[in-house]
Amino acid sequence: VNGVKGGVKASLQGVSDVGSAIVGVVRNLTSTTVRETSEFATKGIEAVASIVKGAISGVADVGASVVGSIKGIVSGTVRGVMEAGGEQKPAVRGAVAQAIHSAKELGLNVGDVAVEAVKGSIEATKTVGGDVVEATKDAILTAIQAAKDIGEEAVEGVKESLESSVEGAKDIIEAAEKK
């Protein structure tokens, strides 16, 4: 976490448009981490979550908008993992879940963060040629699952935000509730 936090913080100091810079910064840090970490294969979701947590802390430390950076952080993380040979599912799940947990820790709107995290996952998966339908479903269901760790109010907020802001979310949520 601290290595990523420091890397993000150092890379973003003096950058006026953090939103544009964050995807590349996080992607490069993630890709390097995945390639250099032999444990990555066994600790996939935890490693991804650690990267997202560190990146969010780095953004917060430079005083940039965290909610405005979530999409880029998640996108950069998922892209970095997949481009380094990691699997899509743990990349998406780890990144989205940690974004939600970090939102709660920082007192951010969990619904807004969920939307940005899901959009970041979709963007990354499209960019690297992954299975966008599967990534969308995994991201949405992971966001709701992570919100359950926070409480019922968070779950409702995440569902409402996703249904109104992410194409296909309503159908995915309804299908999951029928199971």
Side-chain angles (χ1 to χ4, degrees):
V1 174
N2 289 334
V4 173
K5 177 182 175 180
V8 168
K9 194 173 166 182
S11 299
L12 295 179
Q13 302 242 275
V15 172
S16 58
D17 186 2
V18 170
S20 296
I22 194 72
V23 177
V25 168
V26 175
R27 188 180 109 229
N28 292 338
L29 283 167
T30 303
S31 191
T32 302
T33 303
V34 172
R35 287 192 180 102
E36 292 177 356
T37 309
S38 57
E39 301 172 354
F40 192 84
T42 56
K43 295 184 177 168
I45 288 181
E46 291 90 351
V48 171
S50 178
I51 291 166
V52 170
K53 185 173 187 171
I56 289 171
S57 296
V59 167
D61 279 5
V62 295
S65 163
V66 175
V67 174
S69 300
I70 293 292
K71 180 179 175 185
I73 291 170
V74 170
S75 179
T77 303
V78 173
R79 277 180 66 182
V81 169
M82 292 175 68
E83 288 172 359
E87 292 181 28
Q88 175 179 308
K89 188 172 278 213
V92 169
R93 288 182 174 174
V96 171
Q98 185 57 53
I100 303 295
H101 291 130
S102 289
K104 181 196 180 292
E105 289 168 16
L106 295 170
L108 304 172
N109 181 309
V110 178
D112 292 347
V113 169
V115 168
E116 294 303 310
V118 169
K119 287 181 175 180
S121 295
I122 294 167
E123 177 183 272
T125 307
K126 279 181 185 169
T127 304
V128 296
D131 183 337
V132 177
V133 173
E134 198 58 33
T136 304
K137 183 177 164 192
D138 280 340
I140 289 168
L141 297 179
T142 299
I144 293 167
Q145 190 58 48
K148 286 180 182 173
D149 297 339
I150 299 168
E152 195 53 42
E153 193 177 311
V155 172
E156 291 310 311
V158 166
K159 284 181 181 177
E160 285 174 24
S161 295
L162 291 173
E163 287 177 358
S164 66
S165 302
V166 177
E167 192 177 332
K170 191 170 177 29
D171 295 335
I172 291 168
I173 293 167
E174 286 174 1
E177 288 174 346
K178 288 179 184 169
K179 288 183 179 176

